[in-house]
Amino acid sequence: MDALPDQIVLDILERIATTKDRNSASLTCKRFHDLDNEQRLCLRVGCGLNPANEALDTLCHRFPNLTKVEIVYSGWMSKLGKQLNDPGLLTLSKNCPSLADLTLSFCTYITDAGVGYLASCLNLSSLKLNFAPRITGCGILSIVVGCKKLSVLHLIRCLNVNGSEWIDCLGKLETIQSLSIKNCRAIGEGDLMRLGPSWRNLKLLEFEVDSNYRYMKLYDRIAVDRWHNQSIPCESMLEMSLVNCMVSPGRGLACVLGKCMNLQKIHLDMCVGLRDGDIVGLSKSAPSLRSISLRVPSDFSVPLLISHRLTLTDASLKALAENCPMLESVKISFADGDFPSLSSFSVDGIINLVRSCPIRDLSLDHVYSFSDLGMEALCSAEYLETLELVKCQEISDDGLLLVAQFPKLSVLRLRQCLGVTDDGFKLLKGSYKLDLLSVEDCPQVSERGLQGTAKTVSFRQDLSWMH
């Protein structure tokens, strides 16, 4: 080994996948140790740092070429020692000149001053903050101003970050490609308007409003109304997720939905005010759409005082069937509640969509209208490979027996379906038609009844949901 050139040894070390094995190899000899130190680009630390700042300083000096650092304090307790604080980030910024990707999770001791030190990391292109309660918009502003290469920014449960100057600055920067804002209570839908020209380069947008504040935000319409005369260029958008958001006709996020001509994946979860017209506009503007997930309120899950209720019908499914020839994945879900939805998607609408598009993955959750007749219609679904049914209580053994006739189905998942028993799987026994059969919390199904039905069988029984 001593005769091998350094490049060959580096190539060997690169092929060692796990950190534990890399650490063991680096202890073999001083040469391996030094080469591993130079080559190590990624570091993930957390509760084991003790004392935190000193330990991180040692690691930064040992690994001078770090480009990706993840600091996670999930499960932290005071007896584990003090968390990393602002001086620790100063150490990181001074000793890691190549730092490009930084994730801070549950780092509750870090303030705006600590985040401000990161502004000197000129190569920083990705920053992800998960539950950083002491950081405000001022700290994020310092990052946006200092880090001109910033293309990924994820803020999750950053409760004191508001949507003011930093979003204006980010909009002018025009480098952001991935923006995720989830459960940041001081940031609303109207703040997204401040992105301005940066909309043009966005490839991924995830925006989630805290569900506890959703209905309060419905009446804060002033900021959203300002979108009415705004032109939102979204031609680069590939993936979008909107959760608990307000969609107003002809403005706000409704403008965005109709402009994403290259969109491939969209998730719309409890977006109050969403209408058929929004989905029709989306389908016409995004012919390359491959995946759509819709979670809508049941008829009794939205307070009566909300006038802009989500009212999606088969017209939305028809538009998708006619305009999205590449659609492969569809998930339709209704909010958990004691009452089924009475006025939304019908079995015919769902089946028409599956027959019109090359649907490979279909997931139905709380879709009470889907029955054995729907299962019979799916026998002609020539592309369907994965089917998931959750709380579809109109499915019985008669519908389940038809699974044996599905032409390409290889994965079947059932969860909390009351109408199926062991008898529904008897035609699958010994056929091994399915690669995977997963049954969870179905009270009339036993583990023994699933034996020999698929190449891989997963069974779990927890009936606490019924009580």
Side-chain angles (χ1 to χ4, degrees), residues 159 192 206 216 225 282 392 424:
L159 305 182
L192 294 178
E206 296 177 327
M216 295 172 61
D225 286 345
L282 169 69
C392 293

Side-chain angles (χ1 to χ4, degrees), residues 73-116:
Y73 276 101
S74 178
W76 177 83
M77 296 178 288
S78 58
K79 67 180 182 180
L80 297 175
K82 291 184 179 180
Q83 282 193 13
L84 185 81
N85 55 19
D86 294 341
L89 289 189
L90 177 60
T91 296
L92 192 66
S93 64
K94 285 184 175 181
N95 296 288
C96 298
S98 300
L99 184 65
D101 188 334
L102 177 63
T103 299
L104 302 176
S105 295
F106 302 97
C107 297
T108 56
Y109 282 41
I110 292 175
T111 69
D112 288 343
V115 174

Side-chain angles (χ1 to χ4, degrees), residues 172-209:
K172 296 174 183 177
L173 196 60
E174 295 190 53
T175 60
I176 194 72
Q177 296 183 15
S178 175
L179 178 64
S180 179
I181 301 175
K182 296 182 179 181
N183 296 324
C184 298
R185 296 175 179 175
I187 304 176
E189 294 91 334
D191 293 313
L192 294 178
M193 183 201 68
R194 297 172 176 263
L195 286 173
S198 279
W199 277 103
R200 182 174 291 106
N201 298 316
L202 263 182
K203 294 181 179 179
L204 180 144
L205 173 66
E206 296 177 327
F207 190 80
E208 179 174 342
V209 177

